[in-house]
Amino acid sequence: MILLGACAGWSLITAAAHGGRPEGMLLAVLAVAAGYAAGRVSGALLPVAAPSAGAAAGLALAVTLPALSPGPWYAAPLGHAGATAALLALATGAACCAAWATAVPALRLALWALACAVVTAGAVLGSTAGCVAGAAVLLCSLAAGSARGRGAWLAGTAVAAGLVAATIWAVAGDALPGGLAGALEGRFTAHRVRVWRDALWLAGRNSGLGIGPGRFGDLSPATPRTLLSDGKPHSAPLQQAAEQGLVGVLLLVAVFCWVLYALWRTPRPTPVALTAGAALAALAALASVSNALSFTTVTSGAALLAGWATARPWTGEPPAPRL
């Protein structure tokens, strides 16, 4: 709550300094707080049914997301594609968490089948990122069944998410070798790379308070060049750096690290904690290359998953060891 309050307070401070629009950040903070509380309560009462229903709901939202997108449906490369991939990764993680939480073999098999169906849905929907992220979460969850401790696994997920963010930062700063930079830039549209570089340029000129929340679209030189632009840099770390300065980036990182710490301390079984960590790390990686966190369905879904994985069930489940 302290970290979320700091995120909300800092957005108001930076908005007051530059006349920004903090409503998006405030809505995200509210969605995270509400989702986490709902996840803790529902996870305590229904440790299997709640994430199962969440996985099904996430899959349904991923299929119907174009109708929920704030931008035009034809703007998929810069619109809802990142949110679709994020919802598929979270839905896969929720199904796997439910599978590890149940002791009924038939139900566990059905939930594993649901997780596989979510991954397959990514391929059917044409979401390559969603299919890859979901498959990675599923494989990590299967491997988590043989894990003895949590510390090294969760640290590994944090490092993986950090490497993706650092790579995107390096692409924006043109700090990679020519061949590697060309290969990575070829995976994204030229417009997306331009807005990343605009965000880093704005962050360098306004490293203290940033330019103000919601003002990237007004000040980015690349944004007005296309009618499909939604005024966002499509990278959560770069957007925070440009709009809220280094403090905003540190707050974003602190929230992610706190969630991993909560998963390390949770009394839920170790496979549940590690599966949730893998899904949230996949979301962090997707958020580094898209506008996934701009969607309330994604932020609230991530908070729900964290709440389910850290809830204390009322079924007398013994605490799992933490190493």
Side-chain angles (χ1 to χ4, degrees), residues 109-151:
L109 182 61
L111 289 169
W112 285 122
L114 175 60
C116 293
V118 174
V119 175
T120 305
V124 173
L125 293 173
S127 176
T128 303
C131 183
V132 171
V137 172
L138 179 58
L139 292 175
C140 288
S141 182
L142 292 173
S146 60
R148 299 296 181 184
R150 304 180 182 182

mmCIF file of all heavy atoms in Angstrom, residues 109-151:
data_model
loop_
_atom_site.group_PDB
_atom_site.id
_atom_site.type_symbol
_atom_site.label_atom_id
_atom_site.label_comp_id
_atom_site.label_asym_id
_atom_site.label_seq_id
_atom_site.Cartn_x
_atom_site.Cartn_y
_atom_site.Cartn_z
ATOM 1 N N LEU A 109 -5.763 -32.454 -14.324
ATOM 2 C CA LEU A 109 -5.559 -32.718 -15.748
ATOM 3 C C LEU A 109 -6.385 -31.763 -16.600
ATOM 4 O O LEU A 109 -5.906 -31.249 -17.632
ATOM 5 C CB LEU A 109 -5.932 -34.167 -16.058
ATOM 6 C CG LEU A 109 -5.745 -34.630 -17.505
ATOM 7 C CD1 LEU A 109 -4.278 -34.520 -17.910
ATOM 8 C CD2 LEU A 109 -6.246 -36.059 -17.678
ATOM 9 N N ALA A 110 -7.619 -31.484 -16.175
ATOM 10 C CA ALA A 110 -8.467 -30.555 -16.929
ATOM 11 C C ALA A 110 -7.882 -29.151 -16.927
ATOM 12 O O ALA A 110 -7.946 -28.434 -17.944
ATOM 13 C CB ALA A 110 -9.875 -30.547 -16.330
ATOM 14 N N LEU A 111 -7.299 -28.751 -15.808
ATOM 15 C CA LEU A 111 -6.718 -27.411 -15.727
ATOM 16 C C LEU A 111 -5.435 -27.311 -16.565
ATOM 17 O O LEU A 111 -5.160 -26.268 -17.166
ATOM 18 C CB LEU A 111 -6.447 -27.055 -14.268
ATOM 19 C CG LEU A 111 -7.713 -26.806 -13.440
ATOM 20 C CD1 LEU A 111 -7.382 -26.731 -11.956
ATOM 21 C CD2 LEU A 111 -8.405 -25.526 -13.893
ATOM 22 N N TRP A 112 -4.654 -28.382 -16.611
ATOM 23 C CA TRP A 112 -3.498 -28.378 -17.503
ATOM 24 C C TRP A 112 -3.964 -28.270 -18.954
ATOM 25 O O TRP A 112 -3.333 -27.591 -19.775
ATOM 26 C CB TRP A 112 -2.654 -29.642 -17.331
ATOM 27 C CG TRP A 112 -1.824 -29.687 -16.084
ATOM 28 C CD1 TRP A 112 -1.862 -30.632 -15.104
ATOM 29 C CD2 TRP A 112 -0.825 -28.740 -15.677
ATOM 30 N NE1 TRP A 112 -0.958 -30.334 -14.112
ATOM 31 C CE2 TRP A 112 -0.294 -29.182 -14.438
ATOM 32 C CE3 TRP A 112 -0.328 -27.573 -16.229
ATOM 33 C CZ2 TRP A 112 0.693 -28.495 -13.749
ATOM 34 C CZ3 TRP A 112 0.667 -26.877 -15.544
ATOM 35 C CH2 TRP A 112 1.163 -27.335 -14.330
ATOM 36 N N ALA A 113 -5.065 -28.956 -19.265
ATOM 37 C CA ALA A 113 -5.624 -28.858 -20.619
ATOM 38 C C ALA A 113 -6.078 -27.438 -20.920
ATOM 39 O O ALA A 113 -5.918 -26.945 -22.050
ATOM 40 C CB ALA A 113 -6.783 -29.848 -20.770
ATOM 41 N N LEU A 114 -6.655 -26.762 -19.907
ATOM 42 C CA LEU A 114 -7.066 -25.367 -20.102
ATOM 43 C C LEU A 114 -5.855 -24.487 -20.387
ATOM 44 O O LEU A 114 -5.901 -23.613 -21.270
ATOM 45 C CB LEU A 114 -7.804 -24.869 -18.857
ATOM 46 C CG LEU A 114 -8.192 -23.386 -18.848
ATOM 47 C CD1 LEU A 114 -9.105 -23.051 -20.019
ATOM 48 C CD2 LEU A 114 -8.859 -23.022 -17.510
ATOM 49 N N ALA A 115 -4.761 -24.703 -19.653
ATOM 50 C CA ALA A 115 -3.539 -23.925 -19.902
ATOM 51 C C ALA A 115 -3.030 -24.151 -21.320
ATOM 52 O O ALA A 115 -2.629 -23.203 -22.009
ATOM 53 C CB ALA A 115 -2.472 -24.298 -18.879
ATOM 54 N N CYS A 116 -3.053 -25.404 -21.771
ATOM 55 C CA CYS A 116 -2.628 -25.692 -23.150
ATOM 56 C C CYS A 116 -3.565 -25.037 -24.160
ATOM 57 O O CYS A 116 -3.124 -24.557 -25.216
ATOM 58 C CB CYS A 116 -2.585 -27.196 -23.377
ATOM 59 S SG CYS A 116 -1.311 -28.064 -22.420
ATOM 60 N N ALA A 117 -4.859 -24.987 -23.829
ATOM 61 C CA ALA A 117 -5.821 -24.349 -24.730
ATOM 62 C C ALA A 117 -5.558 -22.857 -24.848
ATOM 63 O O ALA A 117 -5.713 -22.262 -25.923
ATOM 64 C CB ALA A 117 -7.243 -24.603 -24.232
ATOM 65 N N VAL A 118 -5.156 -22.229 -23.744
ATOM 66 C CA VAL A 118 -4.851 -20.797 -23.786
ATOM 67 C C VAL A 118 -3.647 -20.544 -24.689
ATOM 68 O O VAL A 118 -3.653 -19.605 -25.497
ATOM 69 C CB VAL A 118 -4.592 -20.261 -22.363
ATOM 70 C CG1 VAL A 118 -4.136 -18.808 -22.417
ATOM 71 C CG2 VAL A 118 -5.841 -20.380 -21.507
ATOM 72 N N VAL A 119 -2.629 -21.387 -24.564
ATOM 73 C CA VAL A 119 -1.451 -21.235 -25.420
ATOM 74 C C VAL A 119 -1.827 -21.423 -26.886
ATOM 75 O O VAL A 119 -1.404 -20.661 -27.765
ATOM 76 C CB VAL A 119 -0.354 -22.237 -25.012
ATOM 77 C CG1 VAL A 119 0.826 -22.163 -25.974
ATOM 78 C CG2 VAL A 119 0.111 -21.957 -23.586
ATOM 79 N N THR A 120 -2.649 -22.430 -27.154
ATOM 80 C CA THR A 120 -3.094 -22.669 -28.527
ATOM 81 C C THR A 120 -3.918 -21.500 -29.053
ATOM 82 O O THR A 120 -3.828 -21.142 -30.237
ATOM 83 C CB THR A 120 -3.914 -23.962 -28.592
ATOM 84 O OG1 THR A 120 -3.140 -25.040 -28.060
ATOM 85 C CG2 THR A 120 -4.326 -24.283 -30.018
ATOM 86 N N ALA A 121 -4.716 -20.897 -28.174
ATOM 87 C CA ALA A 121 -5.530 -19.753 -28.587
ATOM 88 C C ALA A 121 -4.652 -18.603 -29.066
ATOM 89 O O ALA A 121 -5.041 -17.848 -29.974
ATOM 90 C CB ALA A 121 -6.415 -19.294 -27.437
ATOM 91 N N GLY A 122 -3.473 -18.455 -28.483
ATOM 92 C CA GLY A 122 -2.569 -17.410 -28.938
ATOM 93 C C GLY A 122 -2.188 -17.600 -30.398
ATOM 94 O O GLY A 122 -2.137 -16.636 -31.168
ATOM 95 N N ALA A 123 -1.914 -18.852 -30.770
ATOM 96 C CA ALA A 123 -1.586 -19.119 -32.169
ATOM 97 C C ALA A 123 -2.788 -18.900 -33.073
ATOM 98 O O ALA A 123 -2.664 -18.352 -34.173
ATOM 99 C CB ALA A 123 -1.067 -20.550 -32.307
ATOM 100 N N VAL A 124 -3.972 -19.299 -32.611
ATOM 101 C CA VAL A 124 -5.177 -19.135 -33.427
ATOM 102 C C VAL A 124 -5.492 -17.656 -33.627
ATOM 103 O O VAL A 124 -5.905 -17.234 -34.715
ATOM 104 C CB VAL A 124 -6.362 -19.865 -32.768
ATOM 105 C CG1 VAL A 124 -7.665 -19.562 -33.511
ATOM 106 C CG2 VAL A 124 -6.107 -21.366 -32.737
ATOM 107 N N LEU A 125 -5.295 -16.852 -32.585
ATOM 108 C CA LEU A 125 -5.591 -15.427 -32.669
ATOM 109 C C LEU A 125 -4.520 -14.653 -33.428
ATOM 110 O O LEU A 125 -4.680 -13.449 -33.676
ATOM 111 C CB LEU A 125 -5.728 -14.836 -31.262
ATOM 112 C CG LEU A 125 -6.923 -15.306 -30.431
ATOM 113 C CD1 LEU A 125 -6.822 -14.775 -29.003
ATOM 114 C CD2 LEU A 125 -8.230 -14.848 -31.067
ATOM 115 N N GLY A 126 -3.426 -15.312 -33.777
ATOM 116 C CA GLY A 126 -2.344 -14.628 -34.473
ATOM 117 C C GLY A 126 -1.435 -13.847 -33.555
ATOM 118 O O GLY A 126 -0.650 -13.012 -34.003
ATOM 119 N N SER A 127 -1.520 -14.108 -32.247
ATOM 120 C CA SER A 127 -0.680 -13.422 -31.265
ATOM 121 C C SER A 127 0.561 -14.270 -31.013
ATOM 122 O O SER A 127 0.575 -15.125 -30.115
ATOM 123 C CB SER A 127 -1.456 -13.184 -29.962
ATOM 124 O OG SER A 127 -0.615 -12.608 -28.983
ATOM 125 N N THR A 128 1.598 -14.053 -31.806
ATOM 126 C CA THR A 128 2.827 -14.819 -31.630
ATOM 127 C C THR A 128 3.430 -14.584 -30.257
ATOM 128 O O THR A 128 3.873 -15.528 -29.579
ATOM 129 C CB THR A 128 3.843 -14.440 -32.719
ATOM 130 O OG1 THR A 128 3.267 -14.651 -34.008
ATOM 131 C CG2 THR A 128 5.101 -15.265 -32.586
ATOM 132 N N ALA A 129 3.430 -13.311 -29.816
ATOM 133 C CA ALA A 129 3.980 -12.993 -28.501
ATOM 134 C C ALA A 129 3.179 -13.678 -27.400
ATOM 135 O O ALA A 129 3.740 -14.195 -26.430
ATOM 136 C CB ALA A 129 3.988 -11.485 -28.289
ATOM 137 N N GLY A 130 1.848 -13.691 -27.537
ATOM 138 C CA GLY A 130 1.021 -14.333 -26.531
ATOM 139 C C GLY A 130 1.247 -15.832 -26.489
ATOM 140 O O GLY A 130 1.286 -16.436 -25.413
ATOM 141 N N CYS A 131 1.385 -16.448 -27.655
ATOM 142 C CA CYS A 131 1.634 -17.888 -27.717
ATOM 143 C C CYS A 131 2.983 -18.231 -27.088
ATOM 144 O O CYS A 131 3.089 -19.176 -26.304
ATOM 145 C CB CYS A 131 1.576 -18.354 -29.170
ATOM 146 S SG CYS A 131 1.768 -20.136 -29.393
ATOM 147 N N VAL A 132 4.018 -17.462 -27.418
ATOM 148 C CA VAL A 132 5.356 -17.720 -26.875
ATOM 149 C C VAL A 132 5.377 -17.475 -25.370
ATOM 150 O O VAL A 132 5.935 -18.278 -24.600
ATOM 151 C CB VAL A 132 6.395 -16.841 -27.588
ATOM 152 C CG1 VAL A 132 7.749 -16.936 -26.895
ATOM 153 C CG2 VAL A 132 6.518 -17.247 -29.051
ATOM 154 N N ALA A 133 4.769 -16.362 -24.926
ATOM 155 C CA ALA A 133 4.756 -16.062 -23.495
ATOM 156 C C ALA A 133 3.976 -17.113 -22.723
ATOM 157 O O ALA A 133 4.406 -17.567 -21.659
ATOM 158 C CB ALA A 133 4.153 -14.676 -23.266
ATOM 159 N N GLY A 134 2.816 -17.526 -23.243
ATOM 160 C CA GLY A 134 2.041 -18.550 -22.573
ATOM 161 C C GLY A 134 2.783 -19.874 -22.503
ATOM 162 O O GLY A 134 2.751 -20.563 -21.477
ATOM 163 N N ALA A 135 3.437 -20.251 -23.613
ATOM 164 C CA ALA A 135 4.205 -21.498 -23.620
ATOM 165 C C ALA A 135 5.353 -21.437 -22.612
ATOM 166 O O ALA A 135 5.643 -22.431 -21.920
ATOM 167 C CB ALA A 135 4.741 -21.765 -25.023
ATOM 168 N N ALA A 136 6.011 -20.280 -22.507
ATOM 169 C CA ALA A 136 7.095 -20.136 -21.536
ATOM 170 C C ALA A 136 6.578 -20.280 -20.112
ATOM 171 O O ALA A 136 7.204 -20.945 -19.269
ATOM 172 C CB ALA A 136 7.775 -18.779 -21.727
ATOM 173 N N VAL A 137 5.423 -19.666 -19.829
ATOM 174 C CA VAL A 137 4.838 -19.790 -18.492
ATOM 175 C C VAL A 137 4.471 -21.237 -18.205
ATOM 176 O O VAL A 137 4.706 -21.758 -17.103
ATOM 177 C CB VAL A 137 3.608 -18.871 -18.363
ATOM 178 C CG1 VAL A 137 2.873 -19.124 -17.043
ATOM 179 C CG2 VAL A 137 4.022 -17.412 -18.454
ATOM 180 N N LEU A 138 3.886 -21.915 -19.182
ATOM 181 C CA LEU A 138 3.489 -23.316 -19.003
ATOM 182 C C LEU A 138 4.708 -24.199 -18.739
ATOM 183 O O LEU A 138 4.688 -25.049 -17.822
ATOM 184 C CB LEU A 138 2.742 -23.793 -20.252
ATOM 185 C CG LEU A 138 2.269 -25.257 -20.263
ATOM 186 C CD1 LEU A 138 1.349 -25.544 -19.092
ATOM 187 C CD2 LEU A 138 1.582 -25.578 -21.583
ATOM 188 N N LEU A 139 5.776 -24.012 -19.507
ATOM 189 C CA LEU A 139 6.983 -24.810 -19.299
ATOM 190 C C LEU A 139 7.618 -24.521 -17.941
ATOM 191 O O LEU A 139 8.073 -25.440 -17.248
ATOM 192 C CB LEU A 139 7.980 -24.548 -20.430
ATOM 193 C CG LEU A 139 7.566 -25.057 -21.817
ATOM 194 C CD1 LEU A 139 8.591 -24.630 -22.862
ATOM 195 C CD2 LEU A 139 7.410 -26.576 -21.809
ATOM 196 N N CYS A 140 7.652 -23.246 -17.557
ATOM 197 C CA CYS A 140 8.204 -22.901 -16.251
ATOM 198 C C CYS A 140 7.374 -23.509 -15.124
ATOM 199 O O CYS A 140 7.912 -23.959 -14.111
ATOM 200 C CB CYS A 140 8.262 -21.383 -16.095
ATOM 201 S SG CYS A 140 9.526 -20.567 -17.090
ATOM 202 N N SER A 141 6.053 -23.534 -15.312
ATOM 203 C CA SER A 141 5.190 -24.112 -14.289
ATOM 204 C C SER A 141 5.427 -25.611 -14.158
ATOM 205 O O SER A 141 5.472 -26.153 -13.046
ATOM 206 C CB SER A 141 3.730 -23.829 -14.631
ATOM 207 O OG SER A 141 2.870 -24.328 -13.627
ATOM 208 N N LEU A 142 5.580 -26.301 -15.270
ATOM 209 C CA LEU A 142 5.859 -27.731 -15.216
ATOM 210 C C LEU A 142 7.200 -27.995 -14.535
ATOM 211 O O LEU A 142 7.331 -28.939 -13.745
ATOM 212 C CB LEU A 142 5.855 -28.311 -16.634
ATOM 213 C CG LEU A 142 4.491 -28.343 -17.341
ATOM 214 C CD1 LEU A 142 4.663 -28.769 -18.792
ATOM 215 C CD2 LEU A 142 3.530 -29.291 -16.622
ATOM 216 N N ALA A 143 8.201 -27.166 -14.844
ATOM 217 C CA ALA A 143 9.506 -27.336 -14.209
ATOM 218 C C ALA A 143 9.460 -26.997 -12.730
ATOM 219 O O ALA A 143 10.226 -27.544 -11.926
ATOM 220 C CB ALA A 143 10.545 -26.457 -14.918
ATOM 221 N N ALA A 144 8.548 -26.084 -12.340
ATOM 222 C CA ALA A 144 8.457 -25.680 -10.933
ATOM 223 C C ALA A 144 8.009 -26.816 -10.036
ATOM 224 O O ALA A 144 8.208 -26.761 -8.816
ATOM 225 C CB ALA A 144 7.488 -24.504 -10.798
ATOM 226 N N GLY A 145 7.405 -27.852 -10.609
ATOM 227 C CA GLY A 145 6.968 -28.975 -9.787
ATOM 228 C C GLY A 145 8.104 -29.696 -9.107
ATOM 229 O O GLY A 145 7.898 -30.338 -8.070
ATOM 230 N N SER A 146 9.315 -29.605 -9.648
ATOM 231 C CA SER A 146 10.473 -30.263 -9.052
ATOM 232 C C SER A 146 11.382 -29.291 -8.308
ATOM 233 O O SER A 146 12.474 -29.681 -7.888
ATOM 234 C CB SER A 146 11.274 -30.991 -10.136
ATOM 235 O OG SER A 146 11.723 -30.074 -11.129
ATOM 236 N N ALA A 147 10.955 -28.051 -8.156
ATOM 237 C CA ALA A 147 11.787 -27.048 -7.485
ATOM 238 C C ALA A 147 11.808 -27.294 -5.980
ATOM 239 O O ALA A 147 10.785 -27.622 -5.378
ATOM 240 C CB ALA A 147 11.270 -25.651 -7.779
ATOM 241 N N ARG A 148 12.963 -27.118 -5.373
ATOM 242 C CA ARG A 148 13.109 -27.287 -3.925
ATOM 243 C C ARG A 148 12.981 -25.965 -3.180
ATOM 244 O O ARG A 148 12.500 -25.924 -2.059
ATOM 245 C CB ARG A 148 14.472 -27.915 -3.621
ATOM 246 C CG ARG A 148 14.665 -29.286 -4.229
ATOM 247 C CD ARG A 148 13.687 -30.275 -3.652
ATOM 248 N NE ARG A 148 13.870 -31.611 -4.222
ATOM 249 C CZ ARG A 148 13.105 -32.647 -3.941
ATOM 250 N NH1 ARG A 148 12.088 -32.496 -3.110
ATOM 251 N NH2 ARG A 148 13.325 -33.811 -4.509
ATOM 252 N N GLY A 149 13.444 -24.911 -3.778
ATOM 253 C CA GLY A 149 13.373 -23.602 -3.148
ATOM 254 C C GLY A 149 12.815 -22.577 -4.117
ATOM 255 O O GLY A 149 12.509 -22.880 -5.272
ATOM 256 N N ARG A 150 12.685 -21.340 -3.630
ATOM 257 C CA ARG A 150 12.067 -20.291 -4.437
ATOM 258 C C ARG A 150 13.014 -19.156 -4.798
ATOM 259 O O ARG A 150 12.848 -18.516 -5.827
ATOM 260 C CB ARG A 150 10.887 -19.684 -3.673
ATOM 261 C CG ARG A 150 9.845 -20.679 -3.249
ATOM 262 C CD ARG A 150 8.721 -19.977 -2.508
ATOM 263 N NE ARG A 150 7.712 -20.921 -2.047
ATOM 264 C CZ ARG A 150 6.609 -20.573 -1.413
ATOM 265 N NH1 ARG A 150 6.374 -19.298 -1.136
ATOM 266 N NH2 ARG A 150 5.738 -21.495 -1.033
ATOM 267 N N GLY A 151 13.964 -18.889 -3.926
ATOM 268 C CA GLY A 151 14.780 -17.689 -4.092
ATOM 269 C C GLY A 151 15.463 -17.589 -5.436
ATOM 270 O O GLY A 151 15.350 -16.574 -6.132
#
